[in-house]
């Protein structure tokens, strides 16, 4: 029995280690996550019942162990030396020429690879099993981080195959992919926890956790880039650096897919340029490329100088982080009214360009950074990403540093700036008037679900605003055909068609008009609810916050948006122009009180799904609402009836599971015919 249990543990360990390699290294999982979890739980239970057979390479060890009191020091079997740097192409060319003189040839084969921006680590495998992991430290002595490194999914706990050396030290870089870093920081920010400045700091901080369970929760990865000490009695090693990396890959260690062989000076420069161009699109951060003489015999011939090998060089890209001074803050207004602080910086060369401006995002970000005008700050620019301030050097803060104040009025139109509780962004409230929001406000006003002005597309709106023919939605209705023909590619017939369409759009409904105003959080459904509740625009304009919150599906946030929109003088000015009979003359029929017997579906909740071939979804919704029904977008236990058109999907399945009544399109048409007879 005991042998059977031990054999099962061995079988599970080998199978799970293989699946880890396929998932983390090859990015080609062969079993579902649920099956992997089932196998892992089985292994954990067997190990808990039989601790004497717990293997050092067991996948169960990846979840972390007991917290350490401190890290132990580790003397490297072979020093982990640093590399000399080439800061530009000329310095790499000089490096190549030095090697050519020593080797007596310019035909040098190189192995080139990206220089990952992480933390160097050493992995020691004995008989194929990971025995110890350590940081680089000072190159001679590092810290043992074995338990933490075991939590990295791409690090094999046991090497694959049977031709690996009895003892081999693998050197590589532990790093944090960009997507994982951003997700981790977003989660920390939402929880009010401290965020990391960049992926490199996040990787280093994660590997130096005394509690390895914390490390296990961090999205770390690993790429091998060299062999250190090797006992060769069982393995024939390649005589080139590139060949040895391929051997490491064959033993299950991840190697960067960007590793390449390059021929001579031009080959090295071409690789440097190509990877530099791709830098911003890579899923992890790099700060350069490493170019090494590929022949191990030539490496031995070239030897070392001081603490660096002569046969390798790190070709650095322009720095992505630099120090500079925050001279001031301006505030820009975006197309949706968002008021965004923009840092004005002492110009600094970073990421290959001179940067003098950077985003500060919003008031929450300013508070998180604790930044003040006059501070020395760390500025970061990665590829085409907008530069941003990532931290403050507080020890350099001047006595006269000034706090950053969010403006109370819009810097563009002087309307009130609002910031509601729970929202990070401050916004200008002059939506119909503000020049910064003008184009988007007019596009929305004329859109299909709003006033539906046929022929007034986005490009035409932009042209009309740019030519200063319109400033607000009300100005649309004063456009003449002759004025429109002055625009490029606008003939008299097209111009007259647009004037006619605008004239038709003057007659609308109150729900459509309310939706067209672009009040924040007021979509079609909310506009319809507001119209049904208040019946007139005047009653809505005079409504209190309390009465607004009495409307179906209008909570405190939406109520505040509506309330303050109608109390912004600039918005009232445009509204007045829109409904002025002698002006734009936008009007709609009065909403009459509907008798209870004319709303047989009052109190019911209906949902529409699938394709409706005989009547449009919007027409069906309107017809149901006229009969008193509330039309929702999702199915719940409170749903009265689901109307399922063609190709109905998950909503139909959910409705069936909940026992909700279901009608097809013909059933809806029959119901509407009965009630409208």
């Amino acid at each position: 029995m005991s042998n059977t249990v031990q054999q099962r543990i061995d079988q599970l360990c080998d199978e799970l280690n293989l699946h880890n390699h396929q998932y983390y290294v090859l990015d080609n999982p062969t079993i579902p996550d649920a099956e992997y979890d089932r196998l892992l739980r089985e292994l954990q239970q067997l190990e808990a019942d039989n601790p004497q057979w717990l293997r050092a390479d067991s996948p169960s060890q990846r979840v972390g162990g007991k917290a350490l009191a401190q890290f132990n020091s580790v003397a490297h079997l072979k020093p982990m030396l640093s590399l000399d740097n080439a800061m530009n192409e000329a310095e790499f060319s000089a490096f190549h020429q030095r090697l050519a003189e020593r080797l007596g040839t310019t035909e040098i084969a190189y192995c080139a690879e990206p220089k990952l921006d992480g933390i160097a680590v050493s992995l020691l495998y004995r008989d194929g099993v990971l025995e110890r992991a350590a940081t680089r430290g000072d190159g001679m002595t590092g810290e043992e981080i074995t338990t933490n490194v075991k939590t990295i999914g791409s690090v094999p706990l046991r090497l694959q195959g049977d031709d690996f050396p009895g003892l081999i030290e693998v050197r590589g870089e532990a790093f944090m992919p960009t997507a994982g870093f951003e997700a981790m920081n977003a989660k920390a920010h939402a929880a009010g926890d401290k965020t990391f400045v960049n992926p490199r700091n996040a990787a280093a901080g994660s590997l130096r956790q005394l509690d390895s369970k914390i490390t296990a929760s961090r999205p770390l990865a690993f790429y091998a880039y060299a062999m250190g000490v090797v006992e060769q009695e069982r393995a024939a090693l390649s005589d080139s650096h590139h060949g040895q990396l391929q051997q490491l890959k064959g033993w299950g260690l991840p190697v960067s897919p960007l590793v390449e062989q390059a021929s001579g000076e031009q080959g090295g420069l071409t690789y440097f340029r190509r990877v530099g161009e791709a830098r911003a699109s890579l899923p992890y951060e790099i700060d350069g490329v490493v170019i090494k003489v590929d022949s191990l015999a030539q490496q031995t011939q070239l030897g070392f100088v001081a603490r660096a090998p002569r046969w390798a060089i790190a070709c650095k890209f322009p720095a992505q982080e630099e120090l500079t001074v925050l001279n001031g803050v301006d505030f820009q207004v975006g197309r949706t009214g968002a008021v965004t602080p923009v840092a004005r910086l002492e110009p600094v060369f970073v990421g290959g360009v001179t940067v003098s401006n950077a985003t500060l995002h919003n008031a929450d970000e300013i508070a998180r950074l604790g930044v003040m005008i006059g501070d020395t700050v760390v500025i970061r620019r990665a590829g085409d990403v907008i530069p941003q301030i990532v931290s403050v050097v507080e020890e350099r803060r001047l006595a006269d540093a000034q706090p950053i104040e969010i403006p109370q009025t819009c810097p563009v139109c002087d309307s009130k700036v609002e910031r509601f509780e729970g929202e990070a962004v401050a916004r200008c409230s002059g939506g119909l008037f503000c020049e910064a929001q003008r184009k988007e406000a007019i596009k929305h006003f004329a859109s299909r679900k709003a006033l539906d002005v046929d022929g007034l597309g986005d490009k035409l709106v932009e042209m009309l605003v740019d030519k200063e023919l319109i400033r607000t939605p009300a100005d649309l209705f004063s456009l003449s055909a002759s004025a429109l023909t002055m625009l490029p590619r606008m003939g008299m017939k097209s111009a007259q068609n647009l004037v006619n369409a605008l004239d038709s759009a003057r007659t609308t409904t109150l729900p459509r008009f309310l939706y067209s105003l672009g009040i924040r959080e007021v979509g079609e459904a909310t506009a319809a609810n507001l119209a049904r509740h208040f019946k007139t625009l005047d009653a809505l304009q005079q409504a209190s916050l309390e009465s607004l919150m009495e409307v179906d599906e209008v909570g405190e946030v939406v109520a505040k948006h509506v309330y303050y929109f109608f109390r912004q003088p600039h918005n009232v000015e445009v509204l007045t122009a829109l409904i002025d009979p002698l002006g734009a003359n936008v009007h709609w029929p009065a909403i009459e009180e509907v008798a209870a017997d004319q709303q047989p579906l009052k109190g019911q909740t209906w949902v529409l799904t699938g394709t409706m071939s005989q009547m449009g979804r919007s027409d069906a919704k309107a017809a149901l609402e006229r009969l008193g029904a509330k039309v929702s977008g999702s199915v719940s236990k409170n749903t009265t009836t689901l109307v399922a058109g063609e190709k109905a999907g998950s909503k139909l399945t959910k409705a069936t599971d909940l026992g909700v009544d279901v009608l097809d399109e013909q059933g809806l048409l029959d119901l509407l015919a009965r009630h409208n007879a």
Side-chain angles (χ1 to χ4, degrees):
M1 175 64 180
S2 60
N3 287 338
T4 303
V5 173
Q6 186 176 9
Q7 288 170 358
R8 180 57 177 163
I9 288 175
D10 289 341
Q11 179 186 2
L12 287 168
C13 284
D14 293 342
E15 185 176 351
L16 288 166
N17 279 329
L18 176 61
H19 288 311
N20 278 326
H21 177 71
Q22 291 170 322
Y23 183 92
Y24 291 106
V25 180
L26 303 181
D27 193 24
N28 183 33
T30 55
I31 62 172
D33 290 347
E35 175 63 10
Y36 179 92
D37 293 340
R38 188 189 66 76
L39 295 174
L40 181 60
R41 284 196 298 272
E42 181 185 351
L43 174 63
Q44 289 171 325
Q45 186 61 55
L46 289 174
E47 289 175 339
D49 296 338
N50 304 274
Q52 70 274 23
W53 290 321
L54 176 63
R55 287 172 31 169
D57 66 330
S58 171
S60 65
Q61 301 305 292
R62 291 194 185 277
V63 298
K66 293 182 178 178
L68 303 174
Q70 63 181 22
F71 291 111
N72 296 321
S73 294
V74 171
H76 296 301
L77 301 179
K78 182 179 179 181
M80 294 183 70
L81 302 180
S82 57
L83 300 177
D84 286 336
N85 293 326
M87 305 309 293
N88 51 52
E89 292 188 5
E91 290 187 4
F92 171 74
S93 295
F95 162 79
H96 174 78
Q97 291 304 317
R98 289 195 301 271
L99 298 190
E101 291 173 6
R102 286 182 175 271
L103 295 174
T105 178
T106 59
E107 300 299 318
I108 303 172
Y110 290 112
C111 181
E113 58 200 80
K115 186 176 182 298
L116 294 157
D117 200 10
I119 178 171
V121 297
S122 163
L123 310 178
L124 185 66
Y125 288 88
R126 192 181 301 276
D127 295 326
V129 177
L130 179 61
E131 182 177 278
R132 189 184 71 194
T135 62
R136 178 183 177 276
D138 63 4
M140 306 300 289
T141 304
E143 293 177 318
E144 184 184 349
I145 52 170
T146 309
T147 306
N148 287 349
V149 166
K150 283 185 174 182
T151 70
I152 303 175
S154 54
V155 172
L157 303 181
R158 175 183 287 272
L159 300 180
Q160 294 182 2
D162 55 9
D163 60 341
F164 45 77
L167 182 143
I168 179 171
E169 181 199 4
V170 179
R171 290 172 175 182
E173 197 87 357
F175 61 96
M176 188 171 289
T178 308
F181 167 76
E182 291 174 350
M184 185 181 73
N185 258 1
K187 184 177 180 181
H189 181 65
D193 297 333
K194 181 181 178 181
T195 56
F196 285 99
V197 173
N198 54 48
R200 184 188 185 283
N201 287 356
S206 298
L207 279 181
R208 297 198 72 261
Q209 291 289 331
L210 292 172
D211 186 351
S212 58
K213 289 186 176 63
I214 296 177
T215 309
S217 70
R218 305 279 174 82
L220 293 171
F222 173 84
Y223 278 155
Y225 59 64
M227 295 184 190
V229 172
V230 179
E231 290 183 1
Q232 278 183 258
E233 77 282 356
R234 282 195 342 212
L237 297 184
S238 172
D239 60 1
S240 77
H241 181 73
H242 185 269
Q244 289 194 348
L245 290 180
Q246 300 315 303
Q247 286 183 302
L248 290 175
K249 189 175 180 180
W251 296 329
L253 286 146
V255 174
S256 170
L258 297 182
V259 169
E260 291 182 16
Q261 289 175 302
S263 179
E265 178 184 357
Q266 286 306 311
L269 289 174
T270 298
Y271 181 85
F272 174 75
R273 293 165 188 159
R274 180 157 43 84
V275 175
E277 290 172 359
R279 181 186 188 187
S281 63
L282 294 177
Y284 43 77
E285 294 203 348
I286 61 174
D287 56 4
V289 300
V290 176
I291 299 179
K292 304 171 182 176
V293 172
D294 196 31
S295 166
L296 299 185
Q298 287 182 332
Q299 287 186 10
T300 301
Q301 181 182 343
L302 290 165
F304 297 82
V305 55
R307 295 173 64 86
R310 284 195 179 95
W311 42 265
I313 196 163
C315 303
K316 302 297 285 291
F317 295 138
Q320 291 185 296
E321 291 185 354
E322 286 290 353
L323 289 178
T324 190
V325 175
L326 175 61
N327 290 328
V329 176
D330 294 338
F331 291 86
Q332 295 180 344
V333 183
R335 61 184 179 84
T336 61
V339 179
T340 303
V342 178
R344 303 304 180 198
L345 307 166
E346 192 68 29
V348 60
F349 192 75
V350 56
V353 299
T354 299
V355 170
S356 55
N357 301 325
T359 180
L360 278 167
H361 298 292
N362 51 52
D364 285 353
E365 179 70 0
I366 291 172
R368 185 186 71 80
L369 291 167
V371 64
M372 301 176 71
I373 296 172
D375 276 345
T376 296
V377 296
V378 176
I379 189 77
R380 178 175 179 79
R381 180 183 182 273
D384 295 328
V385 177
I386 298 171
Q388 61 182 22
I389 292 173
V390 294
S391 62
V392 176
V393 185
E394 293 189 8
E395 56 267 29
R396 295 194 186 183
R397 175 165 288 165
L398 303 176
D400 60 351
Q402 299 294 316
I404 299 170
E405 301 288 347
I406 303 297
Q408 299 300 302
T409 59
C410 174
V412 174
C413 71
D414 205 36
S415 298
K416 182 181 178 182
V417 169
E418 299 170 340
R419 184 187 179 202
F420 295 112
E421 186 177 351
E423 294 187 357
V425 178
R427 295 182 188 272
C428 164
S429 61
L432 294 177
F433 178 85
C434 182
E435 183 177 350
Q437 303 172 68
R438 185 169 296 160
K439 290 180 180 179
E440 295 305 313
I442 295 173
K443 287 177 187 177
H444 179 79
F445 180 83
S447 64
R448 183 175 62 84
K449 294 180 179 180
L451 262 66
D452 193 18
V453 182
D454 188 32
L456 187 57
D458 290 354
K459 289 184 178 179
L460 184 53
V461 168
E462 292 178 5
M463 199 182 304
L464 289 168
V465 173
D466 291 340
K467 297 289 186 182
E468 298 185 350
L469 292 176
I470 57 174
R471 296 179 67 251
T472 74
D475 295 335
L476 287 168
F477 299 95
S478 62
L479 289 171
S480 66
S482 58
L484 288 169
T485 58
M486 304 300 291
L487 298 174
R489 296 183 296 279
M490 178 67 78
M492 178 56 74
K493 183 176 181 180
S494 297
Q496 189 59 53
N497 286 341
L498 178 56
V499 170
N500 293 342
L502 285 164
D503 190 52
S504 297
R506 297 177 197 270
T507 302
T508 185
T509 65
L510 180 55
R512 277 181 173 269
F513 182 74
L514 295 179
Y515 175 72
S516 77
L517 299 179
I519 305 170
R520 291 197 63 224
E521 307 290 345
V522 176
E524 291 177 89
T526 302
N529 290 341
L530 289 168
R532 280 197 299 269
H533 186 91
F534 290 102
K535 304 292 189 299
T536 68
L537 177 63
D538 183 63
L540 176 58
Q541 286 182 281
Q542 302 304 318
S544 65
L545 278 172
E546 292 74 15
S547 59
L548 284 166
M549 284 190 285
E550 293 173 2
V551 179
D552 286 346
E553 297 187 357
V554 173
E556 183 178 2
V557 171
V558 176
K560 285 182 177 179
H561 287 315
V562 175
Y563 181 84
Y564 289 114
F565 178 90
F566 287 119
R567 279 154 185 79
Q568 172 52 251
H570 293 318
N571 290 338
V572 173
E573 180 183 332
V574 177
L575 276 172
T576 301
L578 281 168
I579 62 176
D580 184 355
L582 301 178
N585 190 29
V586 177
H587 57 277
W588 50 87
I591 297 176
E592 303 293 342
E593 290 286 350
V594 180
D597 61 356
Q598 293 181 304
Q599 288 195 312
L601 305 184
K602 189 173 182 62
Q604 297 184 16
T605 300
W606 286 57
V607 175
L608 301 168
T609 189
T611 302
M612 304 187 72
S613 58
Q614 299 183 63
M615 71 184 306
R617 289 266 291 275
S618 58
D619 291 337
K621 178 181 177 183
L624 288 167
E625 287 176 341
R626 283 195 297 271
L627 295 176
K630 172 185 172 184
V631 180
S632 175
S634 58
V635 175
S636 72
K637 63 181 181 180
N638 297 320
T639 302
T640 307
T641 305
L642 174 83
V643 179
E646 297 175 11
K647 299 180 181 179
S650 59
K651 290 180 183 177
L652 176 57
T653 302
K654 186 173 182 180
T656 303
D657 292 343
L658 292 173
V660 171
D661 288 341
V662 177
L663 285 181
D664 60 12
E665 183 178 4
Q666 187 58 51
L668 173 64
L669 292 172
D670 292 344
L671 179 141
L672 295 177
R674 288 197 303 273
H675 288 299
N676 293 323

